[in-house]
Structure formats: structure tokens, C-alpha cells
Amino acid sequence: MTDPQRRAREGESPLKKSWETVRRAFVEFLGLPSLLIVGFLLLAAVTSALDSARLAWLEPVRTTIRVVLFRDAEATASLLSTIAGSIITVTSITFSLLLLAVQQAAGALTPVVYDQFLRRRLNQVYFGFFVGLAVYMLLILATVNRPYNPVFGATVALVLTFVAMSLIIVLLYTTINQMRPVVVIESIHDHILRARLAQHEFLRRTRRKASAAASLSTPVHAAEHGYVVQVDLDAMAAALDETPEAEVVLAIAIGHYVAFEDMLATIRTTTERAPAGLVDAVRNAIRLEQQRDLDGDPAYGIDQLAVIGWTSVSTAKSNPAPGRMVLHTLRDLMARWSAETAGTHQAHEQRPSEVPVVYEDNVFAKLLDTFEILAVVASESMQPQTMASFVRTFVLMFGRLPPEQQPRAQRLIRSSLSALGEHVLTVELDSALTELAVALDVAHQRDLAAEVRAAQQAMAASLGKLGSRATRASAAG
């Protein structure tokens, strides 16, 4: 029985699944709070050491604090007990209300809100601070006894309590602010840009087309299932060094879902089939997980924007505002990547050490697919203002698209014309279609411009006539 067959029969071990869950929890949320809690533990140790030490220069400070605030151990214990109980109660109530607000926002938009809430550093600081403060107070309280009065520890606890009460106000505002659609969408936009930037080195080191020299092919199949979250180029390069004439053609892209025995890649060679060691190395270099990773997968962010746009624009919510925000955000990404692609073509000769790995970059195509999806849902909900935003995107962007993406954009514009019959030809939509036809003429796409004008005229033929949705579609068709 081969190793992949054994893995298929046995499945993924519970220990491995548990470890993966713990690892992801620390990556997404628990890492920073855990560090803050450790910091509070160290702070408790430092203040306890100061309270235990009898340093001459600290005695006047200790005496002053004891006289003003903490006269004896019983008073200190009572105050710390009250503060600790209050902090725990207020924190529990506040976090419960905030999680309810997050749940409501996730229902209005998408579960993406949960992911954003957990990943925000500021939220992690809040959680770590409040939990760490409660742990710190309980530790200091545990040291209080009749002869021992932790003056410095109690003073630090009192000061941090004032800070915590102030932070609750800030926490309430920042959490509510994070639930606004514009903030959610902008956060995804920023994540997409950072993920794309992190992908640049990978794209520069890989090829877009396979070499014509190789004639033999050895398939590499998946031994597990999950989403592709990483392709380790260094591991592949090290394995390919032992077979210099080999070339790996990846059949997957970052973010693709892979089932057991799906094709991961093909190893192309010139004289003999790829050795088993190289096949295993290529398979192991492609990391699969049960959840996609927004930090390294720009297409995942685009999918999240598509879900928000679809949910908001469709009759499930019938809220065009977030949908138009999504269209504007996607247009910004399109503009940035179009300019970036032009710069890449100009500096093509300065590529770093290339690995013989062929990778098909699908991010720009995913971006265009999302526009098409939103055009379809705008027709389902009969929102001409959303359709007008879609049309204006290509009025502004068609001439700026990379040459290799323009055929896909033409296909997209042509398919969107089929959905125009569901709309009333409002002034805004009429103006946008007119501008699109002009922009296509300027780009020497006169046949497509003529199709746009024909669809616009068909819609205009229904103006002034009382009809149903079905008759509008018939007239525009």
C-alpha cells in the first residue's frame, strides 16, 4: 500500500487536527493576548519583588502609599477583591454585548465580520489586557496576608483599573465602528493588497508558460484534502536541483480546493519519468489546510467582497449601498493591478533566480469574474444604480486594462448586456451606457460598442409603456 493510499484509509489523525486548530487559533487571535497575559504575570512578579524587598530609597514611597491608600492588609485585600470582581463582571457583560453586535453585523453582511474581528490587533490587545489584568489582580490578592501588605502591587492594580475603565469606552466605539460596512470592506481591501504584495516574490520566481523541451509527464496527486494555502518554492527548488532537466507545472493556484487524488501538478522531464522522491517533494511542498488564509491569498479577499456584494444587492437584503462600495473597491484593485502589470512588463528582465515551476496567476481573472457575478445579482434585484456603477467601472477602466485581460473584459461586458432587460433605463444607467459605448469606440472595440448601443436602444423602446418585469426583459432582448 502506497503512502497516499495509507493516508486515505487512515484519514487525518485527531492529534494532527487538534494541533492545526491550536496553531490557527494562535495565528488568528490568541498569540497577542497570550503575550499580554504573560506580561501581566511578569508584572505581578516584579511588583511582588518590590513589595518583598526592603530598599532604603523605596521606603518613603511605600510609607506614603500605605498612609494614603492601603493602611493595612485587610483594607488592601478588600479593595483588590472588589476591583477584581468588578473588572471580571464588567468585562464579561461588555464582551457579551460586543459579541452580540458582531453577530448582528455578520448577519447583515457575511461571516467575514467574525474573521475581521478576531484578526484585528486592537481587539486582541483589548482582550489580552482585560484578561491579563484580572489574572494580575487575583495573583496580587492571593499574596495578601496579615503581616504582608503588597502596597506596590495594589497601587499598580488601582492605576490599571482606571486605564481599563477608560479603555471600555474606546472598546465600545471601536467595535461598533468596525461593524460599519465601509470599514469592513476597506479592511478586506487592505488585506487583499497586502496579500498580493506578499505574492509578488512568488510570481517573480515562477514561470507563466511551460517549456516546450520536456516530453514526459509524471502526475502528482493529492494525498489529503483542503485549500491550497502555500506553495514552498524553496523546497521545490531544492528537490529540482537533483533533476536539472525537470519542470513542475502546477495544476492548482493559491486558494483552490483540492480533494483526495486531485491533480496537484505535473512534473515534465526530457529523458525519463520523474523519480518518486521528487514527486513526494512536490506534493509535500504544497500545503493544504481546512480554511483559506486571507494574509496570503488575495483571491480569498475577492471572494469575501463578492459574498458581501451578492448578499447586500440581492433581494435577500436589497441594500445597494454596500454593493456599490464593493464595486468601487474592486475598481480600485483593478486600477492598482493594471498599473502594476504595466510596470512588471517594463522591468521583466530584472527577475531574480527563477525556479522551473509554472504557475497560472488567477487573481486578476477572479477580480473580473466578481464583476460579472455582481452584474447578475443586480439584475435579480432590479437595482439600476448598482448596474450603473458596474458599467461606469469599465467606462473608466477598459482602456487601462492589461492587453491580456481585455478579451476577458469584452466577454464580461457582452454577457452583462443580457441582464439589462431586467432594468428600467434610468437617467443614471442611460448616461453610463452612453459613456461605455464611447469608451469602447476609443479603444477600437466598435463591434462591442455597437452591441451596447443596440441594447440601450432596446431598453429605451420600453420607456413610457406600462409593463411588467417580463415585458421589459422581452423588449430589451
Side-chain angles (χ1 to χ4, degrees):
M1 184 182 295
T2 64
D3 185 60
Q5 289 173 335
R6 186 178 299 107
R7 290 193 214 176
R9 181 180 295 274
E10 295 175 356
E12 198 171 6
S13 67
L15 182 60
K16 183 178 179 181
K17 289 183 178 180
S18 300
W19 168 250
E20 181 60 31
T21 301
V22 171
R23 188 197 67 81
R24 179 170 287 276
F26 273 88
V27 169
E28 290 185 343
F29 181 72
L30 293 180
L32 186 55
S34 298
L35 290 176
L36 288 171
I37 293 171
V38 171
F40 274 101
L41 293 175
L42 294 175
L43 179 61
V46 170
T47 54
S48 295
L50 289 177
D51 282 313
S52 300
R54 293 297 173 181
L55 302 176
W57 60 275
L58 278 178
E59 288 305 313
V61 180
R62 188 197 309 273
T63 302
T64 302
I65 295 174
R66 183 187 299 115
V67 170
V68 175
L69 295 173
F70 310 107
R71 294 183 178 275
D72 53 45
E74 291 183 1
T76 302
S78 177
L79 179 61
L80 287 175
S81 179
T82 302
I83 292 176
S86 300
I87 285 291
I88 293 173
T89 301
V90 171
T91 301
S92 300
I93 295 174
T94 303
F95 285 164
S96 297
L97 293 174
L98 292 180
L99 290 176
L100 182 61
V102 173
Q103 183 180 10
Q104 293 294 324
L109 294 173
T110 66
V112 170
V113 173
Y114 293 126
D115 186 61
Q116 286 194 12
F117 185 77
L118 291 174
R119 285 180 175 268
R120 287 183 186 272
R121 294 292 184 185
L122 193 57
N123 294 338
Q124 296 173 16
V125 169
Y126 290 144
F127 277 82
F129 180 85
F130 283 104
V131 174
L133 178 58
V135 171
Y136 170 83
M137 289 184 176
L138 293 175
L139 287 175
I140 298 300
L141 180 60
T143 65
V144 179
N145 53 53
R146 188 171 296 276
Y148 179 73
N149 186 8
V151 171
F152 292 116
T155 302
V156 171
L158 186 60
V159 172
L160 291 177
T161 300
F162 290 134
V163 174
M165 292 299 102
S166 302
L167 279 180
I168 285 179
I169 300 174
V170 180
L171 173 61
L172 287 170
Y173 170 76
T174 55
T175 302
I176 299 302
N177 184 58
Q178 291 169 23
M179 300 304 106
R180 294 174 177 170
V182 63
V183 177
V184 173
I185 293 170
E186 185 64 19
S187 177
I188 298 174
H189 169 270
D190 294 342
H191 272 292
I192 293 173
L193 290 180
R194 285 195 292 269
R196 187 60 172 173
L197 186 62
Q199 217 177 45
H200 281 175
E201 182 68 15
F202 177 84
L203 294 174
R204 282 195 291 265
R205 295 181 63 192
T206 54
R207 304 170 180 175
R208 303 285 80 80
K209 294 182 179 180
S211 170
S215 56
L216 299 176
S217 297
T218 305
V220 180
H221 296 283
E224 299 176 355
H225 70 284
Y227 293 98
V228 178
V229 297
Q230 184 185 22
V231 177
D232 190 344
L233 273 186
D234 293 331
M236 284 192 183
L240 287 167
D241 284 342
E242 301 178 6
T243 313
E245 78 282 1
E247 179 184 56
V248 176
V249 180
L250 294 174
I252 47 82
I254 302 296
H256 279 183
Y257 181 80
V258 174
F260 176 73
E261 282 293 322
D262 278 359
M263 180 78 76
L264 292 177
T266 300
I267 302 175
R268 304 177 74 240
T269 51
T270 55
T271 57
E272 58 184 14
R273 293 176 66 84
L278 179 57
V279 173
D280 290 338
V282 171
R283 180 186 296 113
N284 294 333
I286 301 173
R287 184 156 66 90
L288 305 179
E289 291 187 4
Q290 299 310 305
Q291 297 182 49
R292 297 173 72 176
D293 182 11
L294 184 58
D295 292 332
D297 184 0
Y300 184 32
I302 295 173
D303 284 340
Q304 290 182 342
L305 290 177
V307 172
I308 292 175
W310 181 279
T311 304
S312 302
V313 173
S314 71
T315 50
K317 298 294 180 183
S318 296
N319 184 3
R324 299 186 82 173
M325 289 180 201
V326 167
L327 284 169
H328 298 157
T329 300
L330 293 172
R331 177 160 65 88
D332 180 76
L333 294 173
M334 184 189 292
R336 291 173 186 271
W337 293 345
S338 296
E340 170 190 293
T341 303
T344 301
H345 288 320
Q346 293 173 3
H348 192 271
E349 297 81 7
Q350 302 178 354
R351 298 176 67 178
S353 56
E354 185 184 87
V355 180
V357 173
V358 180
Y359 178 82
E360 183 179 354
D361 183 23
N362 66 336
V363 174
F364 211 116
K366 171 69 71 174
L367 182 67
L368 293 175
D369 289 345
T370 303
F371 278 102
E372 192 168 37
I373 289 170
L374 295 179
V376 172
V377 73
S379 68
E380 182 267 346
S381 59
M382 296 178 60
Q383 292 184 10
Q385 69 274 51
T386 303
M387 193 66 185
S389 294
F390 165 84
V391 172
R392 287 192 188 281
T393 294
F394 291 93
V395 170
L396 297 169
M397 285 303 307
F398 187 85
R400 295 156 60 184
L401 288 174
E404 64 271 18
Q405 299 297 341
Q406 288 194 2
R408 177 70 185 85
Q410 295 171 32
R411 168 68 174 78
L412 187 158
I413 293 171
R414 185 170 284 110
S415 65
S416 69
L417 298 179
S418 303
L420 288 176
E422 306 295 341
H423 296 283
V424 173
L425 187 63
T426 62
V427 173
E428 183 182 13
L429 182 56
D430 190 19
S431 174
L433 289 171
T434 300
E435 292 174 12
L436 178 61
V438 172
L440 292 172
D441 279 333
V442 172
H444 306 291
Q445 300 295 327
R446 293 183 174 81
D447 290 342
L448 184 56
E451 292 180 38
V452 172
R453 290 191 176 97
Q456 184 180 11
Q457 291 169 3
M459 293 181 70
S462 67
L463 291 178
K465 299 178 181 178
L466 184 64
S468 66
R469 174 172 180 155
T471 57
R472 277 198 301 276
S474 176

